[in-house]
Amino acid sequence: MGMNQEQIERLFEPFEQADGSTTRRFGGTGLGLAITHRLVKMMGGEIRVESTAGQGSRFHVRLPLVEADGELLPRNRRRGFATKERGAGARLAGLNVLAAEDNEVNRYLLEEMLSQEGARLVCLPGGQETLDRLEQDGADAYHILITDIQMPGMDGYELSRRVRQLAPQLPVIGLTAHAMAGERERCLEAGMLEHVPKPVDGEHLVAVILARARPIREPAAAPVAEVAPTVVSADDLPFPQDPDLPLEWEALLSRYSKRKGFLRRLLELVLGSHKDTPGALRAAAALNDSQQLAFHVHNIKGMAGNLMARAVAKQAVAAEQALREGQADALALSLALADALEGLLSALERLLAWREGQGV
């Protein structure tokens, strides 16, 4: 019978029906569309409705299916958005993942997240290098492509558009630190199937890969040895517990691996990648170079978010918004961010120096 906008907005919620009288007449529970919505999303698709009150409704379901030209291997580990329980197997075993990420710290974190799940990752520092590698290896060499959005030279949007021409069956996922309205739509318009916000949550990323990756057709790879995770708390870490430390250990541990040496390598990469960033930020502010300021602020925002340095990340978000909107305090916020980053880097240097002094 058609629906108004208010009815459409709640239509896919459990136990909801557009017209209560329909339930009384036919005894429905209001679960049908909610279940349909969930099934479609688990298959990596989308469902939408067009409706006019008094005229009728039309439902559209779109599923990114790939034509099967042979028997597919079982994919019993593909469980949509299921989370990994302790002791579960590597959920991405057998998947070949191609990634474009210009930031060294982010490349390290991607490798950590995906290798722990059994994926074989090829991660390159730019869009053009990634496109060249895809041309070299062939369109069927990878099951999914993950790309950062904001990269110098060829950005993630252009890379996705080029991949759509070169390998139209290869799913593309975008990684973005932008929280602006319309970001997802921009990704979809460029040919991506989904976008994942930064800092990247490992469970979310794995779930998106499972939902979007091409099915495995080649013989199964050798099983990945299951390593029992070591349970580590903040008290067990070989670092001093400093209440004034501008990052959160427990949150850092819950997001990333407990693998021995992981945190030390992460901190070393952050220091190596950003030791010159405070000076570069101040130099750009002195020249009133908004483009360079935006570049450095955006990188700081991503790094601080990954490192669980939430106070610094919050300052970076404020500075980035001020720069984007041309606010009068944009330069002052950028300079304050340079000071905050300097403090964070000094704290990381002290931590690593203490660790070396303890011989751990």
Side-chain angles (χ1 to χ4, degrees), residues 28-96:
T29 61
L31 284 172
L33 284 174
I35 292 172
T36 302
H37 179 263
R38 177 163 182 146
L39 289 172
V40 169
K41 290 296 182 182
M42 288 176 68
M43 296 175 71
E46 60 183 20
I47 182 171
R48 60 186 176 86
V49 59
E50 299 171 355
S51 186
T52 303
Q55 295 185 22
S57 306
R58 183 189 302 270
F59 290 83
H60 302 263
V61 172
R62 179 180 178 272
L63 300 175
L65 304 179
V66 179
E67 182 180 359
D69 53 8
E71 183 178 357
L72 298 180
L73 295 173
R75 293 301 301 276
N76 56 9
R77 65 180 174 276
R78 272 198 177 191
R79 304 183 185 275
F81 288 85
T83 57
K84 183 178 182 180
E85 301 296 334
R86 189 174 300 281
R91 293 170 290 179
L92 304 181
L95 283 180
N96 296 327

Side-chain angles (χ1 to χ4, degrees), residues 112-309:
E112 177 69 20
M113 291 177 187
L114 299 186
S115 63
Q116 290 291 307
E117 292 291 346
R120 296 188 290 269
L121 175 67
V122 174
C123 194
L124 297 163
Q128 186 60 57
E129 296 94 325
T130 304
L131 193 66
D132 293 343
R133 182 61 179 263
L134 184 60
E135 291 178 332
Q136 171 188 317
D137 295 344
D140 296 327
Y142 300 97
H143 299 100
I144 197 165
L145 168 65
I146 301 171
T147 179
D148 184 28
I149 297 299
Q150 187 167 320
M151 297 184 292
M154 184 186 295
D155 63 15
Y157 300 119
E158 179 61 22
L159 174 60
S160 180
R161 286 189 285 266
R162 299 280 293 274
V163 169
R164 293 276 62 79
Q165 299 172 1
L166 177 65
Q169 298 300 323
L170 181 63
V172 180
I173 304 300
L175 302 179
T176 174
H178 285 307
M180 295 182 294
E183 185 65 25
R184 183 174 186 274
E185 288 69 24
R186 287 192 67 190
C187 290
L188 296 179
E189 288 173 1
M192 302 177 199
L193 294 183
E194 190 56 86
H195 86 300
V196 174
K198 290 183 177 181
V200 176
D201 177 80
E203 283 297 322
H204 185 197
L205 179 61
V206 168
V208 171
I209 292 174
L210 288 173
R212 298 296 194 176
R214 295 168 57 180
I216 297 175
R217 298 176 182 275
E218 68 271 16
V224 177
E226 184 67 23
V227 179
T230 303
V231 180
V232 181
S233 70
D235 294 332
D236 298 325
L237 286 172
F239 292 98
Q241 297 305 301
D242 183 354
D244 297 324
L245 189 68
L247 53 86
E248 302 170 25
W249 282 121
E250 293 287 3
L252 198 61
L253 284 171
S254 66
R255 182 178 290 271
Y256 301 122
S257 167
K258 315 299 187 293
R259 182 167 57 85
K260 185 178 180 180
F262 167 76
L263 279 177
R264 187 188 71 172
R265 179 59 179 155
L266 176 61
L267 300 189
E268 289 173 344
L269 283 174
V270 169
L271 284 170
S273 300
H274 290 278
K275 60 180 173 40
D276 297 327
T277 303
L281 200 57
R282 294 185 181 110
L287 296 173
N288 198 16
D289 187 337
S290 58
Q291 185 175 359
Q292 278 298 305
L293 281 172
F295 172 79
H296 291 302
V297 168
H298 184 79
N299 282 341
I300 294 169
K301 181 179 73 170
M303 177 276 294
N306 284 327
L307 203 60
M308 294 298 164

